[in-house]
Amino acid sequence: MPEPESLVMNAPAAAPRQKNVDFGHIANRVALYAVLILFSVLFIFPFLWMLTTSFKELTQAMQIPPQWIPSPFRWQNYIEATQKIPFWKYAMNTLYLCVLCVGGTVVSCALAAYGFSRVNWRGRDPIFAASLATMMIPFPVLMVPMYSIFRSLGWVGTFMPLWVPAFFGSAYNIFLLRQFFMTIPKDLTEAAEIDGCGPFRTFVLIVAPLAKPAITVVALFTFMMVWNDFMGPLIYLTDQNQFTLALGLQHFQSKHGGTDMNLLMAASTLVVMPIVVLFFFTQRTFIEGIAMTGLKG
């Protein structure tokens, strides 16, 4: 009589369980990706037209219907475009403003958001609600009063009206950082306070390092806004040596009557590429900061 163990070993293996394929779910995913690809093509279409036009001759750039592939490729368009205007001077002016605005916005908004989220003080919530209400005031309403103030201070014709307000915070960035700070466990900040850390030291050593994704998002938003800003430099800058890239492109177009379309597109490509490269290298942190912001109200 065979042993029980031999019977178990000689028993036929159980047939593997077949998985049911959900074709409906697969079809929905395929349709979703198809729609996303379609919208991606629509959004990238103007960029591709600008990029290809920057390598064309002037006759090809004005051709209708447009010729997508340049023949021949004119790489010297970029050299000529930077020689038509002091392009690199404008780039340095823009970078100077970006550095000051990013630094001022990050510091001021982070401190204000920490005060609204972690420090208990009288009237905190009404003042926070009032700061959010300022987002509903359109810029044209503030444009004339702000110009009058800066003119009385003697700042018109300088860079100061473009970077000094960054050190006083902005409602949107304060709200963004506050929502992220509220997701940080209070046990960490309370433990730091028990160890003798004051509010500012707790912010620097505990909260700020944990909020790196959100702070990076605020820095990126500010950099892109200042890099592409046209209205501010148009209002406050009077000397061409102080022009930014956005204002320099408009000056380039008006100076040449808008006829050198290939050179204008070459200059525009040079202006856009730093933003594209910056987002390419920081997209992971950018998406992480956006995804984790506002998880706790």
Side-chain angles (χ1 to χ4, degrees):
M1 184 173 182
E3 297 293 333
E5 294 182 358
S6 61
L7 292 175
V8 173
M9 295 178 61
N10 295 329
R17 182 177 299 176
Q18 295 182 353
K19 296 182 179 180
N20 296 326
V21 179
D22 190 354
F23 292 101
H25 177 71
I26 295 176
N28 292 334
R29 299 287 291 183
V30 171
L32 176 62
Y33 285 125
V35 172
L36 292 176
I37 292 174
L38 176 62
F39 279 100
S40 299
V41 172
L42 293 177
F43 276 102
I44 204 173
F45 180 81
F47 177 78
L48 292 178
W49 181 85
M50 178 185 67
L51 184 62
T52 57
T53 305
S54 66
F55 294 104
K56 296 177 183 178
E57 296 180 349
L58 181 58
T59 55
Q60 292 181 353
M62 306 299 295
Q63 183 178 347
I64 298 177
Q67 179 180 346
W68 281 95
I69 301 177
S71 179
F73 276 81
R74 281 182 52 87
W75 298 93
Q76 60 268 30
N77 285 347
Y78 288 87
I79 300 176
E80 295 180 12
T82 56
Q83 292 176 348
K84 292 283 185 178
I85 56 174
F87 182 87
W88 303 115
K89 177 67 176 177
Y90 296 162
M92 291 302 299
N93 294 338
T94 308
L95 187 61
Y96 170 76
L97 290 176
C98 286
V99 171
L100 289 177
C101 290
V102 168
T105 300
V106 168
V107 173
S108 61
C109 293
L111 290 175
Y114 179 73
F116 282 127
S117 61
R118 294 294 178 172
V119 181
N120 295 320
W121 45 281
R122 190 173 184 179
R124 182 187 68 176
D125 294 338
I127 293 178
F128 177 69
S131 66
L132 290 182
T134 60
M135 296 174 59
M136 296 184 291
I137 303 176
F139 177 73
V141 176
L142 303 175
M143 186 168 55
V144 175
M146 290 176 62
Y147 182 86
S148 301
I149 293 174
F150 292 139
R151 185 180 61 179
S152 63
L153 294 174
W155 289 1
V156 175
T158 67
F159 289 124
M160 297 186 70
L162 300 176
W163 65 264
V164 170
F167 286 83
F168 292 89
S170 63
Y172 176 77
N173 292 324
I174 291 173
F175 170 76
L176 193 69
L177 291 174
R178 174 186 177 272
Q179 296 304 107
F180 192 95
F181 290 166
M182 293 181 67
T183 63
I184 300 175
K186 290 185 177 181
D187 296 341
L188 297 176
T189 56
E190 291 175 355
E193 293 173 0
I194 293 175
D195 291 339
C197 292
F200 182 76
R201 191 177 179 185
T202 302
F203 168 75
V204 173
L205 299 180
I206 305 297
V207 177
L210 294 176
K212 181 181 177 182
I215 293 175
T216 303
V217 170
V218 171
L220 287 174
F221 279 165
T222 305
F223 184 89
M224 289 188 294
M225 182 187 68
V226 177
W227 187 270
N228 297 320
D229 185 24
F230 173 76
M231 186 61 68
L234 179 65
I235 295 173
Y236 298 113
L237 299 182
T238 57
D239 188 0
Q240 292 185 8
N241 292 325
Q242 296 178 330
F243 281 1
T244 59
L245 286 173
L247 197 58
L249 285 180
Q250 191 273 340
H251 176 68
F252 174 83
Q253 184 178 9
S254 61
K255 180 180 178 181
H256 298 277
T259 55
D260 297 336
M261 184 63 67
N262 54 342
L263 302 183
L264 181 62
M265 292 300 103
S268 300
T269 303
L270 291 176
V271 173
V272 171
M273 287 309 296
I275 299 295
V276 176
V277 173
L278 181 65
F279 181 78
F280 178 79
F281 284 104
T282 59
Q283 59 178 331
R284 185 172 183 178
T285 305
F286 179 82
I287 296 174
E288 180 182 357
I290 290 294
M292 296 182 64
T293 300
L295 294 180
K296 182 177 180 181

